[in-house]
Amino acid sequence: MLLKNSKQMIIRKAQKEDAQAIIDYCNVVGGESDNLTFGENEFGMTLEQEEQFIEETRDSKTSGLFIALIEGEVASVLNLSCPTKERIAHTSEIGISVKQKFWGLGIATMMLERVIAFASASEQIEIIGLTVRADNIAALGLYKKMGFVEIGRYPKAIKIGREYYDEVLMNLYL
């Protein structure tokens, strides 16, 4: 895929060998904004845990850890998780981040397109859900552009220091 800056990007499911790069990426992006559920160096997974997570979802048709690579560097990570309980197996949830130096290149849009296509092809997933800070205007705009609709709000869902932030709950109905 060609980006706005003319660089090539590859989007694929993470492999076990990517685990350390993903941990390093997460520990960096956690400090680049307050829009994630963790801060700088707070990712909290060991190498073994990350490798196991990647291996558990590697061949799944309904879940996975997707990465975007630019010149071998992890530029974005998107996790799609789908429960195995039959009554809720039609639902899924995503979490996405993009490294700050790659903001504005359309990476999040491409990652979402890739994962929406993956979920649609599963023939199981009917709903993709996500949560986003209510004051994250750029992300809200992106999700609405991609077809997500607001289904509710979670007041004071996030607390950073002494400040509380509401979360918007959004769904995409496939």
Side-chain angles (χ1 to χ4, degrees), residues 6 17-18 29 93 122 131 157:
S6 299
E17 301 76 36
D18 299 318
V29 297
E93 186 174 333
S122 77
T131 61

Side-chain angles (χ1 to χ4, degrees), residues 114-173:
R114 170 71 169 85
V115 169
I116 290 167
F118 175 85
S120 295
S122 77
E123 297 182 8
Q124 175 181 321
I125 298 173
E126 298 173 20
I127 302 169
I128 300 174
L130 61 83
T131 61
V132 58
R133 262 183 51 172
D135 61 341
N136 188 344
I137 305 304
L140 284 165
L142 169 64
Y143 300 140
K144 287 176 183 173
K145 176 182 89 171
M146 300 300 295
F148 286 82
V149 294
E150 182 175 333
I151 60 164
R153 289 189 175 243
Y154 187 158
K156 296 185 176 184
I158 299 170
K159 183 178 180 184
I160 302 172
R162 294 176 182 248
E163 292 287 322
Y164 292 94
Y165 301 90
D166 294 352
E167 268 188 333
V168 175
L169 289 72
M170 302 184 85
N171 278 352
L172 174 66
Y173 297 93

